[in-house]
């Protein structure tokens, strides 16, 4: 089954404790991206990647890191999480570029205390 | 920067009726894509419909159709014969043709279906 898999689905942690949210897709997609969703703000892009070893900042990259060492994986790293990063996070992928339909993961709910 | 505006935070419709969700956007580009995504309580993001700006014909997917007015920069979603399963947040989104930047989303419209 074609899918984008995010882990964990839920996480409660404390300020400053490094965490990684994994994202994996099995569709051989070149384009992958991360969004955060906050009430009243819709979804905003954090980082995106056009292909392996190619990543770039989105609209709200501060406090986040990403890597794209393999085509299928695109982890989101919070080196020193803070409470303002409490949010719902989505990973998405498409074959090429953002103009094509995006396949979204099921979301990761992060709470930073 | 492109912006997407959904002016209706919440809409309510009777089951089996028709409802239209509004979306306007701002761009200086001539080639772009527009989308409607549905987010049910399960919080999955589900693509409802996609419109290519160079196509004048309005996209349709079963009970879902759009009214794309390029000059007015308007992209409304019409849901016919509303069903209880249509209850969700609906997000309008924009992307540039060939762009790598992500989708620009509106803030969403919460659709309530009254039985």
């Amino acid at each position: 089954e074609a899918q984008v898999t995010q882990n964990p689905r839920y996480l409660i942690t404390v300020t400053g404790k490094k965490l990684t949210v994994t994202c994996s897709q099995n569709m051989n997609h070149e384009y992958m991206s991360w969004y955060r969703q906050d009430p009243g703000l819709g979804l905003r892009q954090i980082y995106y990647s056009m292909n392996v070893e190619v990543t770039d900042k989105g609209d709200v990259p501060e406090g986040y890191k990403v890597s794209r060492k393999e085509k299928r994986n695109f982890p989101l790293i919070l080196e020193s999480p803070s409470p303002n990063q409490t949010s719902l996070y989505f990973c998405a992928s498409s074959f090429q570029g953002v103009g094509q339909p995006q396949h979204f993961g099921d979301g990761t709910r992060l709470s930073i205390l | 920067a492109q912006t997407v505006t959904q002016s209706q935070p919440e809409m309510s419709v009777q089951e089996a009726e028709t409802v239209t969700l509004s979306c306007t956007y701002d761009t200086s580009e001539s080639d772009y894509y527009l989308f409607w995504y549905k987010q049910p309580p399960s919080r999955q993001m589900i693509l409802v419909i996609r419109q290519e700006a160079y196509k004048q014909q309005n996209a349709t997917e079963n009970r879902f159709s759009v009214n794309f007015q390029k000059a007015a920069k308007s992209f409304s979603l019409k849901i016919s014969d509303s069903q209880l399963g249509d209850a969700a947040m609906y997000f309008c989104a924009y992307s540039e043709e060939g762009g790598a930047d992500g989708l620009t989303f509106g803030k969403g419209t919460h659709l309530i279906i009254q039985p």
Side-chain angles (χ1 to χ4, degrees), chain A residues 50-113:
Chain A
M50 293 293 289
N51 214 325
V52 176
E53 302 292 359
V54 180
T55 63
D56 211 340
K57 297 177 180 179
D59 295 323
V60 288
E62 294 77 20
Y64 305 95
K65 287 175 60 177
V66 293
S67 68
R68 188 89 182 274
K69 297 177 182 177
E70 304 168 282
K71 197 171 188 177
R72 64 184 292 128
N73 296 322
F74 190 46
L76 179 70
I77 303 158
L78 285 71
E79 293 272 3
S80 183
S82 62
N84 64 11
Q85 293 177 298
T86 292
S87 189
L88 177 59
Y89 291 85
F90 286 97
C91 180
S93 73
S94 66
F95 182 61
Q96 280 183 330
V98 73
Q100 297 185 355
Q102 299 293 300
H103 295 255
F104 282 84
D106 288 340
T108 295
R109 173 75 68 186
L110 285 184
S111 294
I112 316 294
L113 305 178

Side-chain angles (χ1 to χ4, degrees), chain A residues 9-10 31 35 37 40 42-43 45 48 50 88 90 98-99 101-102 104 106-107 109, chain B residues 33 35 37 39 42-45 47 50 91 95-96 99-103 105-107:
Chain A
R9 294 290 310 279
Y10 303 89
Y31 184 89
Y35 293 86
Q37 182 180 6
L43 282 80
Q45 192 185 48
Y48 63 91
M50 293 293 289
L88 177 59
F90 286 97
V98 73
Q102 299 293 300
F104 282 84
D106 288 340
R109 173 75 68 186
Chain B
Y33 299 94
F35 306 84
Y37 280 89
Q39 187 178 43
S42 66
R43 79 187 188 200
Q44 291 177 299
M45 292 293 289
L47 178 65
R50 172 176 176 259
F91 292 97
S95 74
E96 289 183 10
D101 291 352
L103 294 166
F105 284 88
K107 295 181 179 181

